[in-house]
Amino acid sequence: MSSPKSSLRPEILNPLFVKTTALKGIGPRLGKLVEKLVGEKIVDLLWHLPSGLIDRRFSPKVGDAPPNDVVTLTVEVLAHSPPPPGNRRVPYRVTCGDDTGRIVLVFFHAKGDYLEDALPIGERRVISGKVELFDGRRQMTHPDHIVELKDIASVQRVEPVYPLTAGLSGKVLDRAVKAALERAPKLPDWLDPAFKKQRQWPDWHEALTTAHNPTSEAELSPLTLSRSRLAYDEMLSNQLALSLVRLKARKRRGRELKGDGKLRAKVIAGLPYKLTGAQSRTLAEIEADMSSENRMLRLLQGDVGSGKTLVALMSMLIAVEAGAQAAMMAPTELLAHQHFENLKPLAALAGVRLEILTGRVKGAVRTEIMEGLANGSIHMVVGTHALVQKDVEFADLAFAVIDEQHRFGVAQRLELAEKGRGTDMLVMTATPIPRTLALTAYGDMDVSKLDEKPPGRKPVDTRTISLERLDETIAGIGRAIQKGAKVYWVCPLIEESEVTDLAAAEDRYATLKARLGNTVGLIHGRMKPNERDVVMEAFASKDGPGKDSSGPKILVATTVIEVGVDVPDATIMVIEHAERFGLSQLHQLRGRVGRGGKEGTCLLLFAPPLGETAKARLNILRQTEDGFLIAEEDLRLRGSGEMLGTRQSGMPEFRMADLSVHGELVAIARDDAQLIISRDAELKTPRGEALRTMLYLFEQDEAIKTLRSG
Ligand code: ADP
Ligand code: MG
């Protein structure tokens, strides 16, 4: 009997897999902040490496303490002078000194009792902070540390500085990370000994400790032995997890799907255009995969507008020609509808039955679709996650297309395929991904690229404009909507705060409304998905002959505009603070306009002054519309962490690895993972056991499941 075990995680790791609130000094309030910054579990603290350091080892006599230096002083507390009652502007002063001189500690808005407690008159204390000179006298405003003599070692050291979030002090985080490190066990090494030796890498535990205790600026480099090792561990887990999942997918036999080409011929005959070279080539690759007995797992990469829909449909038809069914899954209701609308006329040309199944489809209609899928009278279906619900059955699902899959997890990709037998799978993405990144996201998946756009598309006129010219820009937009244009106006993510983010969009919405009247709509991340759909649909609604659609002409948005949502008559994209976006993100956003055969314009509003790199980055967008080129450049200029914008991308979020620095290690990790799989696919050897622990450590639980289910 299989018990509903929550996890088979090795016990040795358990102390790391509890909430950070289990640590002393982290209550519910701080726990929330820590969670926002690093994550909810103690293990997350381990991966949060210092970004700087403060050297507190310098401990001169008071009389020798140089101004503007950080020092650690041992002093006697001489006198307290609280501010006069009722005058909060005067600081609380505490005079301290040694036999060489005096220093005044300055506290604004201080609590007197706390200070009397921390700095009792006549006693000696260790204080650390920056020395200032005020009226020729030494003072220290808000010392960073005040401790008793016996605790001097905790202060007189090189202190790591961690990236922080508002409300969380460095001291608290430092203490939490220390406590987390104390819980980190020594683990059997999972690295290949020869490789580890060749690289001169330390053990995991040592690497972690060293990385958290830098003693010089040089040790903050991502290329130190310790940090490289930690980065490699992270990439190896990623690659091994992908290989395991892929191995499972491959183990199931595929089937030979061969179509007679009749349905496809009908579609081609009915199309007003010819397939592009890239479309034909890609289709040939897919057809070859499908007709082989191996299971297909192929990634179709194509920039926005490269014609992925047609490729997907033609591939789906191969399955239908072979007498089976095909399904396409999209991440949102809206995208599913859009695919459905786009596929409908093509399916009609072929004369096959196409339906849509989403969470919104209910009652009798749903029952009918479920029956059709189960008895095979429905040949093709488009839908959302609703497609993988338990009660959905297919007569014979042989081909699955997953669109914009980066919103689906690795395991979810396989879920739809599991509804069928030997189901071939095509994953579509519009995100152009450089090779190193593709490796980390998809492992050794086969890749087809639609690198040629349908002819006749006009490039989007892309311009950079200083925010100083906002007024002119708004006036111009006003004229454009008079002439019938539809406009997206995107406001950027500010910091990590959704609240300020929203505030910026709401402000802009208000300004535009004041200037341009009721033609402005607002959409943001705080809205429920169906509320967003309503706004999006209103914006997308067409002006019929003689009637004016009531929908907004300008849509102010935070960056939630769904990749892939099509509003064909939207022709202008305004992006505010373009300098804060990833290039690929900008490129994706730009791809939203000029899709209906009309010329598109993209205005990149930037806040001056713009640095050299920022200027160079934005210029790339003006120079090219090649998403792959843009992605490569972006990776080069900014590093992977920032490149795709964190959450939106769904790319694996590395905590320690930075592909722009550790890129070389990705390919090694991939080869390492493949070798491991070929020699010890069940991870049963001693190294295999250690690797298993590593996978748990990096929370690759989905991959470990594949080991268990065999
Ligand atoms: P994607 O999904 O890759 O962003 P679509 O499949 O939506 O792109 O195609 C964009 C547009 O190009 C659609 O209007 C489609 O009808 C059109 N299209 C697709 N293939 C061709 C082609 N070979 N020639 C001309 N137009 C095409
Ligand atoms: Mg599309």
Side-chain angles (χ1 to χ4, degrees):
M1 193 192 94
S2 72
S3 64
K5 284 175 287 243
S6 61
S7 155
L8 292 177
R9 185 191 306 125
E11 260 172 52
I12 192 168
L13 295 182
N14 284 349
L16 297 175
F17 284 82
V18 286
K19 293 200 172 177
T20 56
T21 45
L23 295 173
K24 227 175 90 195
I26 307 287
R29 190 185 65 84
L30 289 175
K32 277 225 181 71
L33 293 171
V34 172
E35 177 173 348
K36 186 177 149 207
L37 183 66
V38 306
E40 150 183 76
K41 293 176 293 332
I42 290 177
V43 70
D44 295 315
L45 285 165
L46 300 181
W47 313 144
H48 193 60
L49 298 182
S51 54
L53 52 81
I54 302 175
D55 192 340
R56 300 190 186 277
R57 289 173 302 183
F58 182 37
S59 299
K61 288 293 206 177
V62 173
D64 302 327
N68 297 320
D69 268 15
V70 171
V71 297
T72 299
L73 304 174
T74 303
V75 294
E76 188 182 338
V77 182
L78 301 171
H80 278 237
S81 28
N87 194 344
R88 303 272 296 152
R89 290 216 321 259
V90 176
Y92 191 119
R93 293 191 171 87
V94 180
T95 307
C96 303
D98 62 12
D99 50 3
T100 64
R102 292 187 171 196
I103 184 162
V104 176
L105 310 185
V106 180
F107 301 89
F108 291 92
H109 305 288
K111 290 203 190 82
D113 341 345
Y114 162 75
L115 289 176
E116 275 164 30
D117 220 43
L119 294 161
I121 293 177
E123 292 202 14
R124 300 221 295 158
R125 285 290 182 272
V126 174
I127 57 169
S128 185
K130 197 194 229 170
V131 178
E132 299 150 10
L133 220 49
F134 190 75
D135 271 351
R137 284 172 222 204
R138 285 192 178 80
Q139 68 173 39
M140 188 183 284
T141 309
H142 294 252
D144 302 321
H145 299 276
I146 303 173
V147 299
E148 294 179 27
L149 242 48
K150 67 176 168 60
D151 294 325
I152 187 165
S154 72
V155 172
Q156 197 184 46
R157 62 176 182 127
V158 182
E159 181 182 286
V161 173
Y162 291 97
L164 293 174
T165 186
L168 194 63
S169 78
K171 226 191 260 185
V172 168
L173 190 64
D174 183 29
R175 219 178 290 143
V177 173
K178 284 257 136 28
L181 281 171
E182 273 161 30
R183 287 178 174 235
K186 297 222 162 80
L187 297 169
D189 214 319
W190 45 78
L191 293 185
D192 173 54
F195 177 59
K196 183 180 163 205
K197 191 156 167 226
Q198 178 222 330
R199 293 269 163 170
Q200 298 177 301
W201 283 345
D203 288 343
W204 176 74
H205 192 275
E206 189 190 332
L208 201 59
T209 316
T210 310
H212 278 285
N213 291 287
T215 57
S216 67
E217 290 288 331
E219 286 177 40
L220 296 169
S221 154
L223 291 173
T224 62
L225 297 179
S226 295
R227 287 197 182 214
S228 299
R229 157 152 204 168
L230 295 174
Y232 186 79
D233 290 341
E234 194 174 29
M235 289 190 276
L236 181 61
S237 311
N238 164 260
Q239 286 302 313
L240 189 57
L242 286 166
S243 302
L244 285 169
V245 171
R246 170 116 204 227
L247 181 74
K248 181 186 175 189
R250 269 197 184 136
K251 250 195 224 161
R252 307 246 176 76
R253 284 288 289 275
R255 56 200 268 196
E256 296 172 26
L257 279 178
K258 290 196 177 112
D260 58 11
K262 276 201 186 121
L263 298 176
R264 281 170 283 164
K266 282 192 200 170
V267 172
I268 289 189
L271 283 178
Y273 48 76
K274 285 211 296 248
L275 299 190
T276 64
Q279 282 171 324
S280 305
R281 192 191 63 232
T282 299
L283 275 170
E285 286 163 355
I286 293 170
E287 193 173 0
D289 279 357
M290 291 176 78
S291 65
S292 96
E293 59 159 29
N294 290 328
R295 250 172 92 149
M296 160 170 158
L297 188 53
R298 184 171 282 277
L299 176 67
L300 175 60
Q301 273 189 302
D303 219 341
V304 279
S306 59
K308 291 186 292 297
T309 313
L310 184 63
V311 171
L313 176 101
M314 298 289 275
S315 330
M316 289 165 88
L317 284 177
I318 297 177
V320 180
E321 284 169 2
Q325 292 163 297
M328 182 191 282
M329 184 160 83
T332 69
E333 182 97 27
L334 203 59
L335 280 171
H337 273 280
Q338 195 141 54
H339 279 307
F340 182 62
E341 294 305 324
N342 291 339
L343 291 173
K344 216 158 56 177
L346 301 170
L349 287 175
V352 305
R353 184 166 169 210
L354 169 76
E355 297 288 350
I356 178 163
L357 182 64
T358 69
R360 263 194 226 168
V361 179
K362 296 223 164 81
V365 182
R366 182 166 195 272
T367 313
E368 201 195 311
I369 291 176
M370 301 277 281
E371 278 169 16
L373 291 174
N375 68 27
S377 60
I378 296 176
H379 306 105
M380 304 199 297
V381 65
V382 180
T384 54
H385 219 125
L387 286 174
V388 295
Q389 280 163 356
K390 270 214 177 63
D391 57 344
V392 178
E393 275 174 42
F394 288 85
D396 183 14
L397 178 66
F399 189 69
V401 183
I402 314 266
D403 182 32
E404 310 283 10
Q405 66 77 41
H406 55 267
R407 309 221 179 172
F408 294 109
V410 175
Q412 280 176 310
R413 278 180 215 161
L414 295 175
E415 254 178 336
L416 183 57
E418 264 154 39
K419 293 274 176 196
R421 178 172 60 81
T423 309
D424 284 330
M425 189 146 46
L426 182 69
V427 174
M428 300 200 292
T429 175
T431 316
I433 309 167
R435 230 187 70 82
T436 43
L437 266 187
L439 264 181
T440 63
Y442 308 104
D444 55 349
M445 209 182 229
D446 301 310
V447 178
S448 293
K449 275 189 193 181
L450 283 179
D451 48 11
E452 172 191 354
K453 291 203 179 164
R457 194 140 320 157
K458 299 182 190 82
V460 175
D461 179 13
T462 304
R463 296 181 217 172
T464 48
I465 300 175
S466 164
L467 269 167
E468 282 164 352
R469 290 170 53 199
L470 182 64
D471 271 353
E472 279 168 64
T473 308
I474 295 179
I477 295 291
R479 287 190 297 274
I481 56 174
Q482 288 296 320
K483 290 187 209 144
K486 278 188 185 174
V487 183
Y488 289 105
W489 191 297
V490 179
C491 300
L493 275 167
I494 299 167
E495 310 275 289
E496 305 126 43
S497 157
E498 256 180 74
V499 181
T500 41
D501 179 22
L502 179 53
E506 275 173 340
D507 272 3
R508 183 56 69 228
Y509 171 66
T511 334
L512 289 173
K513 220 167 159 171
R515 292 274 301 270
L516 304 172
N518 272 338
T519 53
V520 192
L522 175 65
I523 188 169
H524 57 77
R526 284 281 182 95
M527 293 162 91
K528 295 211 183 78
N530 52 356
E531 289 171 353
R532 275 189 238 164
D533 283 3
V534 169
V535 177
M536 218 43 224
E537 270 157 30
F539 180 61
S541 67
K542 282 228 161 51
D543 295 347
K547 74 172 171 140
D548 204 13
S549 101
S550 54
K553 300 285 181 286
I554 303 182
L555 188 63
V556 178
T558 54
T559 31
V560 296
I561 303 178
E562 297 290 354
V563 174
V565 170
D566 224 349
V567 179
D569 48 350
T571 50
I572 302 178
M573 170 68 66
V574 183
I575 304 172
E576 234 180 277
H577 285 290
E579 76 279 2
R580 293 187 191 160
F581 286 85
L583 284 191
S584 293
Q585 229 178 338
L586 290 173
H587 174 66
Q588 290 281 323
L589 289 170
R590 172 169 68 178
R592 300 288 97 222
V593 296
R595 290 165 70 87
K598 296 182 210 168
E599 242 167 282
T601 304
C602 177
L603 306 181
L604 304 172
L605 297 183
F606 64 86
L610 213 50
E612 281 307 309
T613 316
K615 216 173 275 171
R617 290 183 60 237
L618 291 186
N619 274 333
I620 294 166
L621 281 172
R622 289 177 36 206
Q623 285 153 11
T624 179
E625 292 209 46
D626 180 334
F628 290 101
L629 202 97
I630 289 170
E632 296 282 1
E633 278 298 297
D634 206 15
L635 183 64
R636 197 173 63 75
L637 287 173
R638 289 219 304 172
S640 58
E642 287 169 276
M643 183 192 127
L644 293 144
T646 42
R647 277 286 137 74
Q648 272 130 344
S649 66
M651 283 292 140
E653 286 174 50
F654 288 128
R655 302 288 301 274
M656 292 166 295
D658 177 345
L659 296 184
S660 64
V661 183
H662 303 119
E664 164 239 2
L665 294 177
V666 180
I668 300 177
R670 198 242 344 235
D671 293 347
D672 201 354
Q674 282 178 351
L675 202 64
I676 292 163
I677 297 272
S678 70
R679 289 188 182 159
D680 180 22
E682 295 178 14
L683 304 185
K684 290 220 161 116
T685 63
R687 183 181 177 208
E689 290 288 342
L691 285 161
R692 215 178 256 257
T693 305
M694 173 194 74
L695 289 173
Y696 276 108
L697 187 60
F698 286 97
E699 298 177 70
Q700 300 285 4
D701 296 32
E702 290 303 335
I704 299 167
K705 254 194 241 157
T706 67
L707 288 172
R708 269 186 264 157
S709 61

